[in-house]
Amino acid sequence: MTAPPVPGGGPAQGHRVCPACGAPVPILRGEPLWPAGWRCPDCGHGVAVADGIPLFAPELADTVSGIDPAGFEALRVQEGRHFWFRTRNRLLTGLVDRFFPQARSFLEVGCGNGAVLEAVGRLRSWERLVGSELHPSGLVYARPRLGAATEFLQMDARRIPVRHTFDLVGAFDVIEHVEEDEAVLAEMAGAAVPGGGAIVTVPQHPFLWSETDAVAHHVRRYRRGELERKLGKAGFEIVFSTSFVALLLPLLLASRLMSGLRPAGRAAHTAEFAISPGMNRLLGAVTDAEVALSLRGAPWPAGGSRVVVARKRA
């Protein structure tokens, strides 16, 4: 997974892509992904920086694009205590360890508050750990929890400004917020090294659509096989695919049927997370058991979410 040597320098680890002219510029081992004060050697274009974070889509920063950035604080609280987030982290870190034990560089697309990035960062000593997010208000929470060794980018996932750089790329409940989801998957393939991997999670089953999806600014819930097909079109081969929150599907269906009795708007979204501590522990135990079976290779045919592990074609 190592790039060929670059004349006059050390081994290249992929390329930056100038956002103005598209010129590829080698990334040398040990240097930042986007060094401070970087300028394109071809056209002289510089990248704007705010609080040490390169800005590739400043015109979209903290606008209501994909999500409402005002929700990051509430999301941060739920990520720390709600069973769904904690169990999903166990599933994702287990999949990283199982399928990509040799990966040493990781990019998370749409890292938000950094909860998954922090969990992945604890797995091993990464040579390059990068979180990207359209909205800097999410990175306000991500940066303190991850420390100076982690790099961050503000960017539009439809235009990832690197090529052939990462052993592993992840997007966790991100692409359902984007109309052009196939463009995001193609960009993820471009950012991965040949033979590198991708892990993607999405909400599943259009019949589960509810007010919660609307408030969360989802564009779609995925049909079975849809994400796998789109990853294949982007240049990936599917390694593993399963539903998540499969054992709780009857509860999800009941919740959707009852949603018509709740107030509309954000109140419905809040109600879905409002469970007692005891119920939170019980549901966490159920989903933990499901994850343990998934990590042993047991796929679940249906569930509230889908997780797909893929490898970029060499």
Side-chain angles (χ1 to χ4, degrees), residues 87-103 106 116 119-120 123-124 126 168-172 197-202 239-244 290-300 306-311:
T87 308
R88 185 185 64 160
N89 277 6
R90 293 189 185 100
L91 174 62
L92 293 173
T93 53
L95 292 173
V96 172
D97 261 350
R98 179 184 173 195
F99 290 105
F100 305 105
Q102 304 304 317
F106 174 68
V116 180
V120 171
L123 287 176
R124 65 191 66 148
W126 296 90
L168 181 60
V169 183
F172 311 123
I199 303 177
V200 182
T201 64
V202 295
V239 176
F240 179 72
S241 177
T242 186
S243 294
F244 172 51
E290 177 189 310
V291 164
L293 291 170
S294 295
L295 293 176
R296 292 188 179 98
W300 300 89
R306 192 85 191 168
V307 57
V308 180
V309 181
R311 194 175 297 277

Side-chain angles (χ1 to χ4, degrees), residues 259-272:
S259 65
L261 304 177
R262 301 185 190 128
R266 187 160 292 281
H269 183 59
T270 302
E272 191 145 304

Side-chain angles (χ1 to χ4, degrees), residues 248-267:
L248 300 184
L249 186 57
L251 286 178
L252 283 171
L253 283 168
S255 172
R256 296 309 190 253
L257 291 173
M258 292 176 62
S259 65
L261 304 177
R262 301 185 190 128
R266 187 160 292 281

Side-chain angles (χ1 to χ4, degrees), residues 39-307:
R39 289 197 170 275
C40 174
D42 282 26
C43 72
H45 176 78
V47 175
V49 176
D51 296 326
I53 296 175
L55 307 177
F56 292 95
E59 71 284 358
L60 296 176
D62 291 332
T63 62
V64 182
S65 298
I67 66 167
D68 183 350
F72 278 118
E73 169 58 23
L75 182 63
R76 181 188 64 82
V77 173
Q78 295 297 341
E79 285 171 339
R81 66 188 184 194
H82 197 276
F83 79 92
W84 187 88
F85 294 100
R86 291 186 296 172
T87 308
R88 185 185 64 160
N89 277 6
R90 293 189 185 100
L91 174 62
L92 293 173
T93 53
L95 292 173
V96 172
D97 261 350
R98 179 184 173 195
F99 290 105
F100 305 105
Q102 304 304 317
R104 288 296 178 271
S105 56
F106 174 68
L107 167 68
E108 183 178 353
V109 175
C111 70
N113 293 323
V116 180
L117 191 62
E118 181 183 27
V120 171
R122 290 195 188 115
L123 287 176
R124 65 191 66 148
S125 178
W126 296 90
E127 293 179 8
R128 194 181 298 279
L129 189 67
V130 179
S132 71
E133 174 57 54
L134 182 63
H135 303 301
S137 54
L139 300 181
V140 167
Y141 300 108
R143 293 176 75 186
R145 73 196 302 173
L146 280 143
T150 303
E151 299 177 77
F152 292 97
L153 308 176
Q154 185 274 336
M155 72 175 197
D156 182 342
R158 297 168 298 180
R159 291 180 286 277
I160 300 176
V162 294
R163 287 292 179 269
H164 314 305
T165 300
F166 292 95
D167 298 334
L168 181 60
V169 183
F172 311 123
D173 293 278
V174 169
I175 67 170
E176 70 272 14
H177 296 269
V178 184
E179 285 281 1
E180 306 90 342
D181 59 341
E182 293 187 53
V184 177
L185 295 174
E187 287 292 291
M188 290 173 64
V193 299
I199 303 177
V200 182
T201 64
V202 295
Q204 189 175 222
H205 305 314
F207 64 79
L208 289 175
W209 183 272
S210 75
E211 185 70 17
T212 296
D213 293 285
V215 172
H217 297 272
H218 290 173
V219 176
R220 68 186 69 78
R221 296 184 73 93
Y222 284 75
R223 302 179 189 279
R224 187 176 177 187
E226 181 180 357
L227 178 57
E228 292 87 341
R229 176 179 59 78
K230 289 180 176 181
L231 279 163
K233 185 177 177 181
F236 290 101
E237 295 177 350
I238 307 306
V239 176
F240 179 72
S241 177
T242 186
S243 294
F244 172 51
V245 200
L247 295 176
L248 300 184
L249 186 57
L251 286 178
L252 283 171
L253 283 168
S255 172
R256 296 309 190 253
L257 291 173
M258 292 176 62
S259 65
L261 304 177
R262 301 185 190 128
R266 187 160 292 281
H269 183 59
T270 302
E272 191 145 304
F273 286 105
I275 58 175
S276 68
M279 182 60 70
N280 193 47
R281 287 192 294 272
L282 175 61
L283 297 180
V286 172
T287 49
D288 279 346
E290 177 189 310
V291 164
L293 291 170
S294 295
L295 293 176
R296 292 188 179 98
W300 300 89
S305 297
R306 192 85 191 168
V307 57

